[in-house]
Structure formats: C-alpha cells, structure tokens
Amino acid sequence: MKRFYLILLALVAVGVLGAAGVAAYGYYLVDDHQTLAEQLKPANGANGANGVNSAETADLIVRGEYLVRAGNCMSCHTARGGAAFAGGRVLQTEFGDFVAPNITPDVKTGIGSWSADDFWQALHNGKGRDGRMLYPAFPYANYSQVTRTDSDAMYAYFQSIPKIERANQPHELRFPYDQRALLAFWRAAYFRPAVYRQNAQQSVEWNRGAYLVNGLGHCSACHSSRNMLGANAGTADLSGGELALTSWYAPSLANGGEINLAQWQAPQLLALLKHGINADTALSGPMAEVVSASLQHLSDQDMSAMVTYLRATPAVRIEEKDLFDRALSAQNISKETMDGVMKSGAALYKTHCMDCHGATGAGVPSIYPALKGNPAIQTQLVANPVRLILAGGFPPVTKGNPRPYGMPPFGQVLSDNEVALVLSYVRNAWGNHASVVTAPEVNRYRTATLD
C-alpha cells in the first residue's frame, strides 16, 4: 500500500544505525529523566558563562552532534544547496508536499525559543511547542523511543549551531489531509509514546542496535509497507516499501527472498553501511545519502551493534526452487519467448555493461558491483535497478571510499524496451532467477522524480 510519509532514507540495499552497550558507549538505553538543566549544573564550583560548567556543556554538545548525525536530521531539514538545518526541503508524498521546518536556534523562524522540554515533547509525543499535533512525516513514532537524556543532548547541540533566519513554508496537502485535527484519530489508532526498554533476553549490543535502528535510525520509516492511512506495523517493521512518488524501493530486511541479512557476513554488511560499498555490492540512490550524511560518521561500536541487530532480524523464508518457472508462468511467457529475451539482452549487455561488470557478472571487487547472485537485482519490484540504468548513480563519497566509481546513465542511449531486455537478461543469467521486465515498467521509472 502507499505510504503516509516519505522520508529520504531509502535504499538499494539496506540501512539504519546501531551500537553496543552502556559501559562501552556511554549512552544509556533507559530514560533516567535527567533534565538538561540538571546536566548543566556546575561541577565542583568550576563555572563557565552564566554559571554553567563549560566543559560539561561542550561534552553535551559533542554528544548531541553525534546523536543528530545518527538520526540523519540534516538530510530532511536542509534544502538542496541551503544552510544546514534551516529547513525548506520538500518531502513529496501521495497526500501532498511536506516542507521541513527550520530547526536552527533562530528565535523568529527556528527553535531558538524552544526549551529542552519543548524539544522532548516534539520527539517523544509528536507535538510542537504550541501543542499542535505534528504530521508523522516527522517520524516521531520512531523518535518516541529516544531517551530524555539523548533528547537533551540533541537539544543542546541544536542550540549551539549558527542561527539562520529562514521563514518556514506551509505544507501543501490535499483535502482532507490538510485538516490537522484529523491527526487525533490517526494517533489514537497508530501511535503510543514509548521510551525504549532493554530486552533482558538479548545482549547489550543487540539492545543498542535495536535502540538506534528502531528509534533514531527510524529505519521503518522507509523499510516498511503501509496501509491506506499511511501506518505500518510498528517501529520494528522492516517488511519493505516503495517510497511514494520518487519510486525508489526500500527492500524488505525480513524477506529471505530480498535481502537475507542472516546470510551476510558481518564484515560485509559493516563495510557496506560504513563505506557505501563492499567487495560485492554498492549503495546508490537515497541510501547513498544516508551513508554520506549519517552512517559513515558513527562509531565502529555503534556500527557493529547495528549489524548485530539487523542480522538477527527474523527472516521470512522463501522457497527458491521453481521461482523462475513460477515467474514465467505468472507472466504467461513461453520458453521460446524467454530464449529470445535472453539472446537480445545478452547482446545489449555485451555492448553496454560487460566492460565493467564482466562476462560472468562477477564485477570487480570493491569497484564494480557483482550482478551474479545480487539480490537487489532480483527483487520483485524493479524500481532500483531500472532507475540506476536510466539515470546512473554513484556510491557515496566516504572516508573509506573517497573516489567512488559511478555508473553512467543510459536513459538517452537505450529505449524502454532495450532497458527491459538487458535487465531481464541480468535478472536471469548466471544462476539468477527473477521475472521478466517489460517496457511499460521501465517507462514508469523513466518519468519518476529524481530526489
């Protein structure tokens, strides 16, 4: 079903955040209800300006900056080419356009007049400073799990950044979604504030990963399917979903037929999320932005906990045998027709793809992704590979991969039918098994928005 909100953490492969325990990481998983004012009380009489211990304040701000990175707040609250956190980025959905607000400490147009309690109210309860209910384009269903301690640290950081006076633009929603009062019914049905509580049956590292994945990381904001009112099955829902209007697809992390994380080696997944590329796979599209702006900046411990939690996600097992025959049967394609598709697709592949991805689809480790055995190529929804063929793309620029190799666009070179043929070939060569792609499917993504 279509989604209620678009958050730009989409992905070709996977994405979110994580890390390990209390003693090792210094970030507590249970809410100690210590307010910002209490945290800033002078220690041992060593006061900074206004009686506040400057060292403690600096430490709190540094911690808050890290948590803001973990939440990837900049991506949504920064317009293309605009000042950081000054708002203005448009989130397109089937319900209309949401415009992210200014969250710099400007008193007139930002959150400079907000208190730590106001900020906590927004994260935990999904309500603004004036008590208005916020639209869940702001993923407060996930942020509700953030502890008060972490919320206060984030608030301290936001109050320390440069003030930018930039007036907020109103959302442009269709009726009746522009009637904010109706949110009361949505919240009654789908939202309950709840700070994360540790699962005593799991390890400290697993709990850290769960806290960040389901809370700050708001992975389910993209990686979940939604009902007609835009609600999913909860913050731990990783069933996969298409991002409205942009037509990128965030694959299921719980479907063994899409991204079977339990079969990934931990170093493989860690490298992919930290650097945007590993020996076999590269990230592109919206997930590249997530890695660039957020994941690459996280600690190794937090990344390790993310991997631990994700790899422990229960997978829905899919029978792999006969998938190819069932796909052909469902599409009513004969063997003779399929032979023709593979012959034509192979010729196109040899001309346009083989130099980089190789005659056997093995690619070049850590440079050109392998196509053989690549689950992102074989998913039922073909949004991501079609968009990459049409528009090209680059993995993110990261410290671990400062000069990524990109894929050139073929949208002006190949027709819809040719894209369908070459992708159908890739999806069924070298032991891959997936449905045949059609020209109308390709055309749908040729005209999709690029953001």
Side-chain angles (χ1 to χ4, degrees), residues 3-7 93 95 98 136-137 139 141-142 220-221 226 230 232:
R3 312 167 54 95
F4 183 72
Y5 53 88
L6 168 65
I7 210 79
T93 78
F95 303 102
F98 293 95
N142 298 89
S220 65
R226 298 183 179 274
N232 61 15

Side-chain angles (χ1 to χ4, degrees), residues 375-414:
I377 298 295
Q378 303 172 69
T379 54
Q380 181 177 357
L381 192 65
V382 298
N384 297 341
V386 167
R387 294 201 61 165
L388 286 173
I389 293 173
L390 291 174
F394 280 84
V397 175
T398 59
K399 293 179 181 178
N401 188 32
R403 293 184 177 89
Y405 289 83
M407 179 167 170
F410 289 92
Q412 294 180 331
V413 177
L414 301 177

Side-chain angles (χ1 to χ4, degrees), residues 133-282:
M133 295 175 289
L134 302 178
Y135 283 99
F138 175 64
Y140 56 80
N142 298 89
Y143 290 161
S144 181
Q145 296 195 31
V146 174
T147 67
R148 179 61 191 259
T149 301
D150 282 354
S151 171
D152 284 347
M154 294 170 69
Y155 170 79
Y157 170 70
F158 280 125
Q159 295 301 311
S160 75
I161 64 178
K163 302 176 182 179
I164 304 295
E165 184 175 341
R166 187 184 190 283
N168 292 313
Q169 304 171 41
H171 303 313
E172 296 183 3
L173 306 178
R174 297 194 302 276
F175 181 85
Y177 310 113
D178 58 350
Q179 304 300 303
R180 192 179 293 263
L182 295 178
L183 284 173
F185 298 98
W186 190 93
R187 290 168 61 97
Y190 301 116
F191 174 64
R192 297 290 184 278
V195 171
Y196 180 79
R197 299 296 176 182
Q198 294 191 62
N199 184 336
Q201 305 301 313
Q202 299 290 346
S203 68
V204 173
E205 184 176 51
W206 184 96
N207 274 282
R208 176 63 177 174
Y211 170 66
L212 290 170
V213 165
N214 299 332
L216 273 177
H218 56 283
C219 183
S220 65
C222 288
H223 286 272
S224 61
S225 55
R226 298 183 179 274
N227 63 23
M228 63 183 300
L229 295 178
N232 61 15
T235 58
D237 180 6
L238 302 176
S239 58
E242 187 174 12
L243 296 166
L245 299 190
T246 67
S247 297
W248 285 102
Y249 177 63
S252 170
L253 307 183
N255 184 333
E258 292 192 12
I259 305 295
N260 192 349
L261 295 180
Q263 293 185 357
W264 285 56
Q265 296 297 315
Q268 283 182 299
L269 186 53
L270 186 62
L272 185 64
L273 296 178
K274 186 77 171 178
H275 308 306
I277 191 169
N278 62 22
D280 302 312
T281 308

Side-chain angles (χ1 to χ4, degrees), residues 253-380:
L253 307 183
N255 184 333
E258 292 192 12
I259 305 295
N260 192 349
L261 295 180
Q263 293 185 357
W264 285 56
Q265 296 297 315
Q268 283 182 299
L269 186 53
L270 186 62
L272 185 64
L273 296 178
K274 186 77 171 178
H275 308 306
I277 191 169
N278 62 22
D280 302 312
T281 308
L283 297 177
S284 189
M287 190 57 193
E289 182 176 6
V290 175
V291 172
S292 177
S294 178
L295 296 181
Q296 71 162 320
H297 302 287
L298 301 187
S299 69
D300 290 342
Q301 295 95 329
D302 274 353
M303 295 300 296
S304 177
M306 169 193 69
V307 168
T308 295
Y309 177 76
L310 288 176
R311 291 181 71 240
T313 301
V316 178
R317 298 296 176 186
I318 303 295
E319 286 290 335
E320 294 186 2
K321 64 179 181 178
D322 299 326
L323 279 179
F324 181 53
D325 291 339
R326 281 190 283 160
L328 294 185
S329 177
Q331 293 182 295
N332 195 28
I333 296 177
S334 67
K335 184 180 184 304
E336 291 74 17
T337 300
M338 189 64 194
D339 288 343
V341 168
M342 294 299 286
K343 182 178 179 180
S344 299
L348 290 164
Y349 180 86
K350 182 178 180 180
T351 300
H352 300 288
C353 314
M354 192 172 71
D355 286 349
C356 292
H357 294 285
T360 63
V364 178
S366 302
I367 298 178
Y368 301 120
L371 303 180
K372 177 182 179 179
N374 189 331
I377 298 295
Q378 303 172 69
T379 54
Q380 181 177 357

